[in-house]
Amino acid sequence: GGGGALACVHLRRGDFVDECRRYEEEARSGHARGWLLAHYERGLSCLPSDEEVRLNLQALGAAAAARGERVAYYGSSDEPAALRGSQPAGTQVATLADSAGLLDAFAAASPEPLHRSVLAPVVDQLVCARASALLLNVFSTFSQLLMAHIGMRRPERVGFVRDLSELAQRDLGVHVDFWRRQNPFDPAKLLGVQVAWDAGRLRMVAAPGVVADV
């Protein structure tokens, strides 16, 4: 069999409910910012539904299996229950909430008092920076900072960047993908990259799935 690998999954809820609604309204407005429109045109999701979480985790596992890797999943989320309730069969995503004592240990070792709400994202960053497979939110600054952290593994070749190109990923030995939307024409699959906004409405040019048929 293949070797083991750590996969980091970053799922945002909370304030992203309103944030993503505003992004979607802007994307439909006809005068959206270019970077925002590009994310939607690529089929990327700001606030994945429970079913989209399940499909994306399934795709992540399938991609790892194709590389011959056995994956252990770590989830960074402000609502861990959203990950636990959407796991595909046979997949278990561990979160910091499952190891509450770890935060206490970090806090005890710190020379300065640290509140758990401040410490938790730092621990998530440190754990996820060790992952070789990442499923991130393209709209999230946490995800961007995580990629920058990983890029600094090779400061002379990659350095502090907010996005990791395919070349940088190969150089660093990591695989990065972002939450994708469910394909409305084939709900068992996710959107690929060939989608477009037409007169304020989502128009499908082509929608290749990224989850292999089984």
Side-chain angles (χ1 to χ4, degrees):
L6 175 64
C8 170
V9 179
H10 178 223
L11 180 67
R12 286 291 300 271
R13 286 289 190 260
D15 61 330
F16 253 42
V17 173
D18 290 334
E19 189 80 4
C20 294
R21 176 183 52 78
R22 288 192 292 268
Y23 282 148
E24 186 149 345
E25 289 173 353
E26 179 180 341
R28 296 177 183 278
S29 68
H31 47 78
R33 288 167 287 182
W35 65 265
L36 178 63
L37 200 57
H39 291 340
Y40 280 94
E41 288 176 345
R42 290 172 60 195
L44 303 181
S45 176
C46 182
L47 192 74
S49 66
D50 289 347
E51 178 62 10
E52 286 171 337
V53 170
R54 188 188 68 79
L55 288 172
N56 277 272
L57 287 174
Q58 180 183 332
L60 178 64
R67 297 192 296 269
E69 297 175 347
R70 297 189 305 273
V71 174
Y73 296 87
Y74 179 82
S76 168
S77 179
D78 53 351
E79 291 187 15
L83 281 172
R84 287 193 292 268
S86 305
Q87 297 171 153
T91 300
Q92 184 171 357
V93 182
T95 69
L96 196 55
D98 300 318
S99 304
L102 184 61
L103 279 183
D104 295 333
F106 270 95
S110 172
E112 300 291 336
L114 289 174
H115 194 275
R116 292 172 68 94
S117 63
V118 174
L119 188 56
V122 174
V123 175
D124 278 348
Q125 285 269 346
L126 291 173
V127 173
C128 287
R130 306 288 294 182
S132 60
L134 299 107
L135 179 56
L136 305 177
N137 190 319
V138 74
F139 295 87
S140 167
T141 53
F142 179 98
S143 288
Q144 293 168 6
L145 287 172
L146 178 56
M147 287 186 284
H149 194 151
I150 293 171
M152 288 304 294
R153 292 181 194 169
R154 300 291 298 274
E156 76 288 355
R157 293 175 63 88
V158 181
F160 191 91
V161 294
R162 297 176 66 181
D163 191 13
L164 293 173
S165 66
E166 290 187 11
L167 179 61
Q169 291 178 46
R170 288 196 297 270
D171 196 26
L172 292 161
V174 300
H175 303 272
V176 179
D177 203 353
F178 301 102
W179 293 108
R180 293 182 177 275
R181 292 172 177 264
Q182 191 173 14
N183 184 337
F185 301 120
D186 191 348
K189 295 183 179 180
L190 298 167
L191 290 177
V193 297
Q194 301 300 317
V195 300
W197 290 90
D198 183 14
R201 300 181 64 183
L202 185 64
R203 173 172 58 89
M204 302 303 304
V205 178
V210 296
V211 178
D213 292 324
V214 293

